[in-house]
Amino acid sequence: MPFTIRTKLTFWYTSLLGFSLISAGIFLYIAAQQAMVTALDTKLLFLAETMARTVIKPHTQLILPQNFDVLMERFFGLKTSGSYIQITDRFGNVKSRSETLGKARLPLSGKAVQNALANKTTYETVDYVGRQPLRVITYPAMDNNTLDYIIQVAASMESVQSTLSDIVYIFYLTIPFVIILATAGGFVLASKALSPVHEITTAARRIGAENLHERIAVLGTGDEIDNLADTFNEMVGRLEISFKRMKQFTSDASHELRTPLTILKGETEVALKKCRSLEEMRGVLESNLEEINRMSRIVNNLLTLVKSDTDVKHEFQDVRLNEIIDEKFRQTKHIAEAKKVEMKLLKNEEVLVSGDPLRLRQLILNLLDNAVKFTHDHGNVIVSLERCNDNAVIKVSDTGIGIQEEDLPFIFDRFYRVDKGRSREDGGTGLGLSICKEIADAHGGRIEVDSVIGKGSTFKVYIPVKPA
Ligand SMILES: Nc1ncnc2c1ncn2[C@@H]1O[C@H](COP(=O)(O)OP(=O)(O)OP(=O)(O)O)[C@@H](O)[C@H]1O
Ligand SMILES: [Mg+2]
């Protein structure tokens, strides 16, 4: 089962907290132990030093009464209670010991004797059989650099041990409690922090093709979650636009194909019912062929558009744009002449671009075709190609019917024709300019239009030149 982020967050949070608490506990334990042992050592050392200064006289036979510790307390104010004191000569023979020791003797290690010989104090913790461990310090009483006596002062570690076990006990009791509390708190916090994500998920699930206009609520906090919601909304926005375009395109395409099909169907039915002569039959077939041609033009244009939607750039090669302009200009000139429209090639600079020659031909042909088509008799069409900065600029101007300002934003849309009736007579599908735009876009360029109704139009195409 995959873990939720909430579970993972809680787990990491708890582990981290647990680790920190245990580390802090261990640190505290060690620090407390050291502090208590040091305090004990200071007390023992003080006793030993006082003993050395007051009791032991150099070169004298050490004779101490059995209850010397009691006397020390009385005469020197030394608190010896709870301590064990033992005085030995340098060979380890016990010379005297405190009453608290009774018959027992404090252990004297070889190391302690060696240290004492070198005038060093030794601090040891030794196990005292059957009782709490003892802290023993072994202090040398020196006489002119020679070891006179060895004073050992010891105390039980019982209080240290019991304080340490109290500390451990407190830890055992509090750490699990704190961890459980923190886990619950962490879980609640994580749930709270992640609840907007849950809302986004629910909203995202709700939004489908039918309600792409819906958006996720953005709280305006500017945090990561808001960012996520914003990004998601933007994505849905883009989907909505392309979905609308797709719908529009499908409905336009079917509408465009339906008209010729209806005509085909109607004419064929009538012909089948009451066709008399071969002549009439021929007339029907000719009209049908016209509609078929029209449909195949639409389908071809649609295919071109779909193609530019999907494959871009992989057929690019070096193209001399001026050669294409030359070729298409000559071809259109014949048609223009038949229409008594004069065509001029004002400028044709040599420009090299990287592109798909077939598509660029189509772009130029579509523009020239429009210019001639929408220009009256005795009108002019002026064509030019020049290099301007890093762009090849193709300009096609005509003195034709022009386009109204309110139509200008739509003429590059698929199937858009200003005058539907007229376009039908011309055989226009309304796809020419949208193909031009797709081609210009695919080449990293753009297309612009300037038009005054009744005066004429100028179309400009910018295609980036091939970098040197
Ligand atoms: N040079 C022009 N002068 C006036 N109007 C134009 C010109 N070029 C385009 N238009 C207007 O823009 C519309 C869209 O042009 P587009 O080339 O896309 O379609 P079309 O020429 O009608 O059909 P097709 O190009 O598919 O044969 C045209 O129907 C026309 O109304
Ligand atoms: Mg056209």
Side-chain angles (χ1 to χ4, degrees):
M1 189 193 79
F3 292 108
T4 59
I5 292 187
R6 188 172 49 181
T7 317
K8 281 189 215 160
L9 270 179
T10 313
F11 171 76
W12 281 112
Y13 173 68
T14 310
S15 311
L16 215 68
L17 186 81
F19 178 75
S20 315
L21 278 178
I22 291 168
S23 308
I26 292 173
F27 177 77
L28 203 75
Y29 181 89
I30 293 172
Q33 187 186 38
Q34 270 178 6
M36 286 187 290
V37 170
T38 310
L40 190 60
D41 283 352
T42 314
K43 184 184 149 198
L44 297 180
L45 185 67
F46 177 68
L47 267 176
E49 279 172 344
T50 317
M51 288 282 300
R53 257 188 287 112
T54 55
V55 182
I56 299 162
K57 300 271 179 300
H59 305 299
T60 51
Q61 199 61 32
L62 182 79
I63 306 156
L64 281 174
Q66 268 302 302
N67 56 351
F68 73 91
D69 43 345
V70 182
L71 293 176
M72 277 189 67
E73 191 165 343
R74 190 165 305 157
F75 292 112
F76 300 104
L78 270 181
K79 287 241 174 287
T80 55
S81 57
S83 322
Y84 307 100
I85 302 169
Q86 172 179 287
I87 298 169
T88 61
D89 61 14
R90 73 175 83 164
F91 307 107
N93 304 315
V94 177
K95 291 292 168 196
S96 186
R97 59 188 136 195
S98 62
E99 221 168 32
T100 42
L101 270 172
K103 294 244 178 300
R105 86 170 263 167
L106 289 174
L108 180 61
S109 66
K111 190 176 149 228
V113 176
Q114 256 176 19
N115 279 346
L117 284 168
N119 193 12
K120 278 190 213 149
T121 312
T122 308
Y123 301 85
E124 289 166 307
T125 302
V126 292
D127 284 329
Y128 207 56
V129 193
R131 289 199 220 163
Q132 291 288 339
L134 281 180
R135 184 70 177 166
V136 182
I137 76 164
T138 309
Y139 185 86
M142 304 297 284
D143 173 31
N144 282 336
N145 290 335
T146 48
L147 183 64
D148 211 4
Y149 291 102
I150 295 172
I151 304 171
Q152 284 187 289
V153 187
S156 164
M157 293 276 279
E158 193 180 350
S159 71
V160 175
Q161 295 291 16
S162 88
T163 312
L164 287 179
S165 1
D166 281 354
I167 291 178
V168 172
Y169 182 69
I170 290 169
F171 285 162
Y172 274 147
L173 221 65
T174 51
I175 290 182
F177 179 70
V178 170
I179 286 180
I180 291 171
L181 211 71
T183 309
F187 194 75
V188 172
L189 269 181
S191 309
K192 217 170 138 50
L194 289 169
S195 78
V197 174
H198 182 69
E199 277 163 34
I200 292 182
T201 316
T202 320
R205 234 177 241 143
R206 201 180 55 233
I207 297 176
E210 331 67 48
N211 54 351
L212 274 174
H213 57 275
E214 279 194 30
R215 294 289 180 273
I216 294 171
V218 179
L219 300 177
T221 48
D223 58 10
E224 291 86 341
I225 302 288
D226 247 19
N227 234 335
L228 180 70
D230 255 340
T231 315
F232 182 83
N233 283 343
E234 277 167 27
M235 188 192 77
V236 176
R238 285 197 297 273
L239 275 179
E240 190 186 7
I241 291 171
S242 64
F243 212 74
K244 259 190 195 150
R245 273 185 61 179
M246 220 167 73
K247 256 182 160 167
Q248 183 70 34
F249 183 69
T250 319
S251 87
D252 287 352
S254 20
H255 180 80
E256 289 300 317
L257 287 169
R258 209 173 55 198
T259 319
L261 271 176
T262 317
I263 297 171
L264 260 181
K265 185 169 177 269
E267 288 192 344
T268 312
E269 275 171 1
V270 173
L272 280 177
K273 260 190 213 149
K274 48 173 187 181
C275 227
R276 284 136 251 168
S277 65
L278 202 65
E279 204 57 31
E280 273 178 314
M281 205 60 157
R282 207 184 157 78
V284 171
L285 281 179
E286 269 169 8
S287 155
N288 281 1
L289 188 64
E290 225 172 78
E291 294 305 327
I292 290 169
N293 279 339
R294 188 178 160 71
M295 283 198 294
S296 83
R297 222 178 15 249
I298 294 179
V299 172
N300 276 337
N301 279 342
L302 285 179
L303 279 178
T304 314
L305 276 173
V306 172
K307 215 170 162 236
S308 41
D309 271 351
T310 49
D311 62 2
V312 200
K313 283 210 166 157
H314 69 264
E315 282 164 49
F316 276 17
Q317 49 182 267
D318 289 358
V319 181
R320 282 185 201 291
L321 219 47
N322 48 305
E323 288 175 6
I324 298 184
I325 296 273
D326 247 341
E327 176 194 321
K328 292 299 160 199
F329 180 80
R330 266 185 285 111
Q331 284 174 5
T332 329
K333 205 167 155 67
H334 296 303
I335 307 164
E337 269 165 10
K339 254 195 93 178
K340 297 198 187 73
V341 170
E342 198 190 335
M343 277 188 79
K344 260 190 230 153
L345 184 56
L346 200 66
K347 211 185 229 180
N348 197 12
E349 278 181 21
E350 197 167 300
V351 192
L352 189 69
V353 299
S354 168
D356 179 345
L358 275 179
R359 302 244 197 114
L360 290 170
R361 273 194 185 86
Q362 193 172 12
L363 183 153
I364 292 161
L365 185 65
N366 282 354
L367 290 182
L368 295 181
D369 175 60
N370 280 355
V372 174
K373 193 162 64 175
F374 298 109
T375 303
H376 307 293
D377 292 3
H378 305 297
N380 290 314
V381 172
I382 299 168
V383 185
S384 71
L385 165 68
E386 58 187 328
R387 190 188 162 138
C388 192
N389 299 326
D390 290 334
N391 283 309
V393 185
I394 307 162
K395 206 155 120 184
V396 179
S397 305
D398 62 60
T399 56
I401 60 170
I403 305 161
Q404 262 181 347
E405 215 176 318
E406 58 254 41
D407 288 313
L408 281 179
F410 307 108
I411 56 169
F412 296 104
D413 289 353
R414 292 166 182 189
F415 296 113
Y416 192 83
R417 286 158 305 188
V418 175
D419 181 347
K420 309 254 181 234
R422 192 201 140 101
S423 291
R424 213 182 137 67
E425 285 162 29
D426 296 335
T429 61
L431 288 171
L433 282 180
S434 56
I435 291 174
C436 288
K437 187 176 177 323
E438 296 276 352
I439 295 171
D441 287 349
H443 284 78
R446 63 181 199 279
I447 183 164
E448 288 173 359
V449 59
D450 254 328
S451 189
V452 179
I453 186 87
K455 287 244 158 86
S457 322
T458 301
F459 284 85
K460 276 191 217 161
V461 181
Y462 296 80
I463 306 280
V465 295
K466 189 181 158 65

